[in-house]
Amino acid sequence: MRNLKLILFLYLFAFIPSCMAQTVEREKAIHPGGDSEPAVIAAEIKAVKRHDKALLLVTFGSSWDAPHRTYRRMKEQFAQAFPDMDVYLSFTSGICRKRCAANGKGAFHGPEHWLQAFAKAGYRTVGVQSLHLIPGKEYHDVERTVDAFRKEPASSSRQMEIALAGPLLKTRDDVNRVAELLHARFRSEVEAGSVVVLMGHGKPEKYTVGDGNFRYTMMEESLQKMHPNYFVGTVDMEGNLVEDMIRRMQHGGHRSGRVICYPLLSVAGDHANNDMCGGEGEEAEEGSWRYELTLAGYACPLANCLIEGLADRREIVGHWIGQMRKALASLRK
């Protein structure tokens, strides 16, 4: 028995450090944000690479199940539109990347890691499509990442041309076109007397970059030119929170009646389910849009909160696709 215990001890003494060393080596290739080293990503890319062009869809990210179904459909729609390009998905949120890597939803590396890996994998043309809504901080970070990569001295970087497109509401023309698509979606509702309120994200002033928040004001103006029953508010933009939006509704003569809530967000995740809908119960959580609208005297039951992101609409994904077509065409000029 003593000999058996001694053999077992010696085995464990030899085996455990070996396992620990392998684990450490694997962990060295993973960043805290859920990113692998570019060389590791490049090796994975080479195993599935079919073309010499890549398309990187860049979004904030989500760990909710429904948005991942949306992302898969988006990738399929982009792949159909660009059959000579390999399509990949990137999250700009380190928290979302880490959560998704931990719960088995996949590896959605940051844009800088994807670009470095694309160069190592031998891609010659890369399209980077921002799936963000406004030209805010997240989009400007992507823009800086692309600009920095273009300036890298590495020969592989110089040989890879990059086209950057988006975000969805980059210009006033973009806002007007998306407004037209949304009006086509809700025209029958507003003409029947319902009010449609759209919930954007927005940013507090101290965290804003550029004039991205102004896109929500532009969107409300554009929609109201088509019908006065549209209002656009946000989760975080000072002066355009749900209570500010309700005051505008009341000032416009809408003091009661049926209200439909719709996320002005790329996917319907946490903000749509909690900040807008206030949970799945008949009684909305305090502070949610459904709660505040009901408290203000509007008819806004659970069924009136539509859990659907903009990226669930093929026609709106088509607008993103149009942006990328223009960006790629500019490389050929």
Side-chain angles (χ1 to χ4, degrees):
M1 180 63 71
R2 288 179 181 176
N3 289 339
L4 181 60
K5 288 182 177 179
L6 179 61
I7 291 170
L8 181 60
F9 173 78
L10 291 173
Y11 173 77
L12 292 174
F13 182 79
F15 179 73
I16 290 176
S18 173
C19 288
M20 290 178 65
Q22 292 175 24
T23 301
V24 168
E25 286 304 311
R26 283 195 298 269
E27 289 180 348
K28 281 181 181 178
I30 305 295
H31 289 267
D35 290 304
S36 297
E37 292 286 358
V40 175
I41 306 172
E44 295 171 352
I45 288 172
K46 288 178 180 177
V48 297
K49 183 172 180 279
R50 297 173 55 238
H51 304 98
D52 63 357
K53 300 178 183 177
L55 179 56
L56 184 64
L57 308 180
V58 184
T59 185
F60 181 83
S62 176
S63 58
W64 286 62
D65 290 338
H68 281 262
R69 292 192 290 272
T70 302
Y71 294 142
R72 286 193 290 273
R73 288 193 296 269
M74 280 192 80
K75 286 182 67 177
E76 290 171 2
Q77 193 171 340
F78 269 91
Q80 290 169 3
F82 302 98
D84 61 339
M85 303 183 82
D86 298 328
V87 184
Y88 302 89
L89 183 63
S90 172
F91 287 177
T92 55
S93 167
I95 293 174
C96 289
R97 295 197 300 267
K98 189 173 183 179
R99 286 177 180 172
C100 289
N103 63 23
K105 281 188 166 65
F108 304 97
H109 313 290
E112 67 279 7
H113 287 83
W114 277 120
L115 291 177
Q116 292 171 28
F118 287 162
K120 292 179 183 294
Y123 283 112
R124 291 292 172 259
T125 301
V126 173
V128 178
Q129 175 67 55
S130 166
L131 302 180
H132 302 98
L133 254 68
I134 64 171
K137 182 182 183 304
E138 285 81 10
Y139 172 72
H140 285 290
D141 286 346
V142 174
E143 195 174 42
R144 283 195 294 269
T145 296
V146 170
D147 288 342
F149 188 83
R150 285 169 172 161
K151 296 173 184 176
E152 282 188 8
S155 59
S156 58
S157 301
R158 289 200 303 270
Q159 293 171 5
M160 191 174 79
E161 55 181 1
I162 307 175
L164 175 63
L168 184 68
L169 307 178
K170 186 173 185 178
T171 68
R172 183 172 288 276
D173 285 345
D174 289 324
V175 173
N176 291 339
R177 177 55 184 153
V178 173
E180 290 172 357
L181 295 173
L182 288 169
H183 182 52
R185 167 79 168 84
F186 292 109
R187 182 171 185 166
S188 61
E189 299 285 1
V190 293
E191 289 183 348
S194 295
V195 171
V196 174
V197 298
L198 298 100
M199 187 189 75
H201 191 291
K203 284 284 187 182
E205 191 60 34
K206 64 180 179 180
Y207 297 119
T208 58
V209 175
D211 63 347
N213 273 345
F214 185 56
R215 297 304 187 279
Y216 301 112
T217 305
M218 291 168 61
M219 178 59 73
E220 183 172 293
E221 291 172 351
S222 184
L223 284 166
Q224 288 190 352
K225 287 177 181 177
M226 289 175 274
H227 201 285
N229 285 19
Y230 289 109
F231 294 87
V232 179
T234 71
V235 177
D236 282 332
M237 175 186 168
E238 290 119 331
N240 197 16
L241 304 175
V242 62
E243 58 266 29
D244 303 303
M245 183 186 71
I246 288 173
R247 280 194 290 271
R248 294 199 304 276
M249 293 166 64
Q250 293 170 341
H251 182 73
H254 304 283
R255 298 185 176 275
S256 63
R258 183 170 183 261
V259 173
I260 297 170
C261 294
Y262 189 79
L264 191 63
L265 303 163
S266 59
V267 294
D270 180 62
H271 292 303
N273 284 275
N274 294 319
D275 296 305
M276 186 187 79
C277 196
E280 298 178 349
E282 288 303 316
E283 295 293 326
E285 295 175 7
E286 187 174 348
S288 67
W289 278 33
R290 178 161 63 108
Y291 176 90
E292 297 296 339
L293 287 161
T294 302
L295 188 66
Y298 299 97
C300 187
L302 180 62
N304 287 22
C305 295
L306 307 183
I307 304 300
E308 171 188 287
L310 295 174
D312 289 307
R313 307 295 304 178
R314 286 189 66 86
E315 66 273 22
I316 290 180
V317 175
H319 186 75
W320 269 306
I321 288 172
Q323 289 178 326
M324 178 48 62
R325 288 194 195 281
K326 291 179 182 177
L328 290 171
S330 70
L331 293 178
R332 295 189 283 271
K333 290 182 179 178

